[in-house]
Amino acid sequence: MEQNSDTKSFDSASALIDYLGIGRPTFYRRAKALNISTSKGIYTSRELELLKEPLSNAPKNKNASSYKDDIKELTEQIEQYQKQLEQDKATIEQQQEQLSEKDEALRQAPSAEYIELLKHSTETAENTVKNTNEQLRAKDTQLTALTKALDQSQRLQSDLQMKLDKARLELETVHQDNSSEPVTKTEDNKEQVNRTQGNTEQKGFWARLFG
């Protein structure tokens, strides 16, 4: 990967994805949404910053589809962090097991050279465990933030869906009212015509009777 002050170049999309620290589906979805080519090889610092950030952080007009994309992306990120946490925990357990084995070996053969080697190995392992624990805490914090963002997106999507359902019901009610109005008017007109004919027949009868 070559770079200057404003741009970075990558040999492949996989190298770029590893640099960004995101999943492949997330990378292609963000690149498509941001209109950034996935095959040009050279990217500006601004493009890399945008690709690192979740799409939910970018200002845009929200709709049901965009919320679903946000939820999907956040879910993928949470799964990725969880997998990384499991890997880090497995690494810590392995290192702790190695420390136990070396400690047992020290008790069985406590030579000066071996003690010095074991001391150095123990310090290295302890530093590795310390760094890994710090990374785990940072990732736990990121996971908590992602979970909150996911919960917020789900609530917003639910609220939006309720508003859409309400608007659809109002449209259906208006449509039904408009459809029934002509029928009512037609029946009223028929009743009025019948009353008029009845009055005319009665007048004709009395006129004939009394001349």
Side-chain angles (χ1 to χ4, degrees):
M1 179 183 66
E2 298 178 356
Q3 65 180 29
N4 56 36
S5 59
D6 296 323
T7 62
K8 294 180 184 292
S9 61
F10 299 87
D11 297 334
S12 63
S14 297
L16 174 57
I17 292 171
D18 291 340
Y19 172 80
L20 295 174
I22 60 178
R24 185 173 293 272
T26 299
F27 165 70
Y28 284 105
R29 184 167 52 255
R30 289 183 185 176
K32 181 179 179 181
L34 298 169
N35 196 25
I36 298 176
S37 173
T38 60
S39 59
K40 62 181 183 176
I42 300 176
Y43 299 85
T44 65
S45 299
R46 177 56 179 165
E47 288 175 332
L48 294 174
E49 290 176 1
L50 291 174
L51 289 170
K52 285 182 180 180
E53 293 294 329
L55 292 176
S56 56
N57 291 347
K60 59 182 179 181
N61 295 326
K62 292 289 185 180
N63 52 41
S65 177
S66 64
Y67 279 121
K68 290 180 180 178
D69 289 340
D70 290 345
I71 291 173
K72 183 177 180 181
E73 180 175 343
L74 289 172
T75 302
E76 289 177 356
Q77 291 183 10
I78 289 174
E79 291 175 352
Q80 183 179 357
Y81 277 119
Q82 289 174 336
K83 289 180 181 178
Q84 186 63 45
L85 286 174
E86 292 298 326
Q87 293 175 358
D88 292 340
K89 289 178 181 177
T91 300
I92 291 176
E93 291 176 357
Q94 183 179 5
Q95 291 172 345
Q96 289 175 339
E97 184 177 351
Q98 292 174 352
L99 286 174
S100 298
E101 292 175 354
K102 291 179 180 179
D103 184 61
E104 181 65 24
L106 174 61
R107 285 194 296 267
Q108 294 178 359
S111 64
E113 182 179 354
Y114 186 81
I115 290 174
E116 185 64 27
L117 178 62
L118 181 60
K119 180 180 179 181
H120 176 72
S121 299
T122 301
E123 291 176 352
T124 302
E126 288 176 349
N127 289 333
T128 302
V129 171
K130 180 180 178 180
N131 293 334
T132 303
N133 285 333
E134 291 177 354
Q135 293 176 0
L136 284 174
R137 284 193 293 270
K139 289 176 181 178
D140 282 337
T141 301
Q142 292 175 338
L143 180 60
T144 300
L146 288 172
T147 302
K148 289 182 180 179
L150 174 60
D151 181 64
Q152 182 181 12
S153 294
Q154 289 174 332
R155 288 199 304 270
L156 291 173
Q157 182 185 12
S158 176
D159 182 62
L160 178 60
Q161 188 62 47
M162 290 176 61
K163 291 180 180 179
L164 291 174
D165 292 340
K166 181 179 178 181
R168 184 163 50 250
L169 288 174
E170 291 177 353
L171 288 175
E172 290 177 355
T173 301
V174 172
H175 179 71
Q176 290 175 357
D177 292 342
N178 291 338
S179 299
S180 61
E181 182 177 355
V183 175
T184 303
K185 289 184 177 180
T186 302
E187 292 177 352
D188 292 342
N189 292 338
K190 287 182 178 179
E191 185 177 350
Q192 182 176 2
V193 170
N194 291 335
R195 286 200 302 268
T196 303
Q197 290 178 348
N199 292 336
T200 302
E201 291 177 356
Q202 290 179 356
K203 288 180 180 180
F205 171 77
W206 292 110
R208 290 195 302 272
L209 182 63
F210 293 101

